[in-house]
Amino acid sequence: MVELPSSEYEKRHFSQTFRVQGTSKTVMAVLTSFARYPEWIDDARECTIYARSENECRVRIVTPILWFTVVTHLVHRITDDSMSWCLDTDYPNMFRVNEGRWHVRDAEDGI
């Protein structure tokens, strides 16, 4: 096992842009269809919503990695055009950090 010092660990951020066909509303509907994640995310074997409110969804994701199974509990905060997530600290998680954000917008060129 390798542990990175926190200063190095915290520097590992990246950003990437994807172009997909569909309106931003359609893309957000797909991104927030948590129960369907196993249909289109290869490593998601199970995805269960265990709590939901107006702008928040708590999701349990089961992922096989090598010879063991990883269970991750994430809190997703959802708006009309974005979704952010972080670990749910009320549950044990294998990872120290799992956070990110999707920001969805229609392309300016209409394509």
Side-chain angles (χ1 to χ4, degrees):
M1 173 187 223
V2 175
E3 276 197 38
L4 298 171
S6 28
S7 60
E8 285 300 310
Y9 185 79
E10 292 167 4
K11 291 180 187 175
R12 298 187 180 269
H13 296 276
F14 68 92
S15 175
Q16 192 166 7
T17 301
F18 299 94
R19 290 182 72 107
V20 297
Q21 287 192 312
T23 64
S24 58
K25 186 176 180 175
T26 301
V27 172
M28 283 302 296
V30 170
L31 290 175
T32 57
S33 296
F34 301 107
R36 297 189 67 188
Y37 274 22
E39 294 176 27
W40 56 274
I41 298 175
D42 291 338
D43 293 333
R45 293 294 175 254
E46 223 180 283
C47 193
T48 309
I49 296 169
Y50 59 90
R52 184 188 295 261
S53 65
E54 187 177 337
N55 292 326
E56 186 176 279
C57 194
R58 294 175 182 252
V59 180
R60 177 182 178 267
I61 301 174
V62 177
T63 308
I65 298 178
L66 297 175
W67 57 87
F68 58 95
T69 300
V70 175
V71 178
T72 307
H73 293 84
L74 298 172
V75 178
H76 294 81
R77 291 185 177 84
I78 303 162
T79 68
D80 289 339
D81 64 353
S82 69
M83 178 175 71
S84 62
W85 65 89
C86 63
L87 290 173
D88 186 342
T89 56
D90 292 339
Y91 291 86
N93 286 290
M94 181 178 183
F95 304 106
R96 275 194 275 164
V97 177
N98 183 342
E99 57 188 34
R101 178 181 176 91
W102 290 105
H103 180 75
V104 178
R105 65 179 171 81
D106 291 320
E108 292 174 13
D109 58 11
I111 298 175

